[in-house]
Amino acid sequence: MSELLRLLTVGLLGGAVLFAVLLVPAILHQRRRFGQVRPRRLLGLAIICLYSMTLVGLTLAPAYDVAVTCRHRIGGVVRLDPVGTVSAVMQLRREGASWAAVATSFPVMQAAMNTALFVPTGLILRGMLRWDAVTSVAAGMMLSAAIEVTQYTGAWGLYPCGVRIADIEDLLWNTVGVAIGALVGHLLARGARAPYTDPVEGDLAGTVLDRHDDI
């Protein structure tokens, strides 16, 4: 847990720095395009910065000491079992574990975290950028696959070995998270849309950008 908190902290700090770098250009862009600063768009930018850098920190930064890891590992590690969590749950039940114990077991918690980690991706792509559902899920799945390959290759040679484990189940659960986020983002955008509002301000996408605008 201490490693998880460390990676989360690194990601949040990186997101804060990224937002600080982009803040002035975003304000100047808004003044030039809209004649005023729109706080909701700045909030959306802050959310994207914090989330994107946190995602990088949690998935790509080495979770353990690189030198120690590489002494015990020649190359990257890949897991190709798509039903590992299901198998683990079945094994726990055969051993007599209660459903409460199963729900709080490491395999289930890991699957839940991998799902939750990519829910914001679906929210951003579908709810803010207003991509269609298929494109949003496909893009989220490709992002997850790129992360897994980067983990397997040791950040494409940046580290002397693959310091993280590439797991096919991570890809599957990440994609489930994107789909959930895309559904929620679509529902929120529909609920926020009013018949005669400015399309920039009238829905969830207005917190960041509309169809034709960049931050």
Side-chain angles (χ1 to χ4, degrees):
M1 182 58 70
S2 61
E3 290 297 325
L4 177 62
L5 291 176
R6 180 181 65 82
L7 296 176
L8 180 61
T9 301
V10 170
L12 290 174
L13 289 175
V17 171
L18 179 62
F19 176 66
V21 171
L22 296 178
L23 179 59
V24 172
I27 290 175
L28 294 176
H29 172 78
Q30 290 187 18
R31 286 188 177 277
R32 183 174 63 252
R33 184 169 184 85
F34 306 113
Q36 62 179 347
V37 176
R38 296 188 170 180
R40 290 173 62 190
R41 285 174 173 265
L42 294 180
L43 175 61
L45 176 62
I47 291 172
I48 290 177
C49 289
L50 290 171
Y51 170 67
S52 60
M53 296 306 294
T54 299
L55 183 64
V56 169
L58 290 175
T59 59
L60 299 182
Y64 308 102
D65 183 86
V66 174
V68 173
T69 300
C70 292
R71 278 201 299 268
H72 298 85
R73 186 180 297 172
I74 298 175
V77 175
V78 60
R79 293 175 180 166
L80 297 177
D81 183 5
V83 293
T85 300
V86 175
S87 300
V89 168
M90 294 176 63
Q91 179 63 33
L92 288 171
R93 289 296 294 168
R94 283 195 295 268
E95 294 173 355
S98 65
W99 283 113
V102 170
T104 56
S105 64
F106 177 77
V108 173
M109 294 299 293
Q110 185 178 44
M113 291 178 63
N114 279 318
T115 301
L117 186 62
F118 271 70
V119 169
T121 300
L123 281 168
I124 292 170
L125 296 180
R126 182 72 169 132
M128 291 182 174
L129 303 186
R130 287 194 276 187
W131 292 10
D132 63 78
V134 174
T135 303
S136 297
V137 174
M141 186 175 185
M142 291 176 62
L143 173 62
S144 176
I147 289 173
E148 295 303 316
V149 173
T150 302
Q151 291 177 335
Y152 178 74
T153 59
W156 303 97
L158 179 63
Y159 305 117
C161 71
V163 295
R164 302 288 290 270
I165 295 174
D167 194 334
I168 189 65
E169 266 205 301
D170 290 353
L171 174 63
L172 298 177
W173 290 116
N174 291 164
T175 304
V176 171
V178 176
I180 293 172
L183 175 60
V184 173
H186 176 64
L187 294 176
L188 290 176
R190 286 184 57 186
R193 188 175 296 120
Y196 298 104
T197 54
D198 179 346
V200 174
E201 298 291 351
D203 57 25
L204 183 63
T207 61
V208 184
L209 66 164
D210 59 24
R211 287 184 186 274
H212 309 291
D213 294 331
D214 296 322
I215 296 175

